[in-house]
């Protein structure tokens, strides 16, 4: 399924809420574009674990949980989870 995930695809939660836009895949995570990612931590890259991906539908990556739950964001340098 990861082969279907491409740059500029929209990432949405199971609830249909916009989470961000794919920048690229990095290992077992989706890196979101810095300028368009869910939450209050602007100015940093954020990541979504591949395990949260329920499927790829057209140009959207759908997560298996609602946006506010599924998004375990990590700051690019610290590697520590960010609480929303």
């Amino acid at each position: 399924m990861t082969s279907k995930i491409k740059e500029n695809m929209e990432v949405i939660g199971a609830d249909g809420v916009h989470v961000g836009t794919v920048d690229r895949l990095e290992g077992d995570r989706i890196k979101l574009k810095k300028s368009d990612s869910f939450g209050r931590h602007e100015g940093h890259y954020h990541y979504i674990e591949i395990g949260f991906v329920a499927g790829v539908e057209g140009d959207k990556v759908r997560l298996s949980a609602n946006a506010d739950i599924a998004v375990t964001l990590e700051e690019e340098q610290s590697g520590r989870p960010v609480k929303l």
Side-chain angles (χ1 to χ4, degrees):
M1 177 176 6
T2 58
S3 63
K4 295 180 179 180
I5 299 172
K6 307 290 183 204
E7 182 180 0
N8 295 320
M9 293 181 96
E10 181 181 16
V11 179
I12 58 174
D15 53 358
V17 174
H18 176 83
V19 174
T21 303
V22 175
D23 184 54
R24 66 176 175 244
L25 286 176
E26 286 190 358
D28 61 349
R29 303 184 301 174
I30 298 170
K31 182 178 182 180
L32 299 177
K33 290 187 179 285
K34 189 187 293 189
S35 61
D36 182 32
S37 60
F38 181 86
R40 296 172 246 157
H41 301 83
E42 296 177 12
H44 299 280
Y45 284 105
H46 296 100
Y47 299 84
I48 305 290
E49 298 294 326
I50 289 293
F52 285 120
V53 175
V56 178
E57 303 165 4
D59 63 348
K60 297 181 194 274
V61 177
R62 183 171 294 275
L63 303 179
S64 59
N66 291 346
D68 61 344
I69 296 170
V71 187
T72 54
L73 302 175
E74 297 178 7
E75 292 187 20
E76 64 180 313
Q77 293 180 359
S78 72
R80 294 176 296 152
V82 174
K83 291 187 178 189
L84 297 176

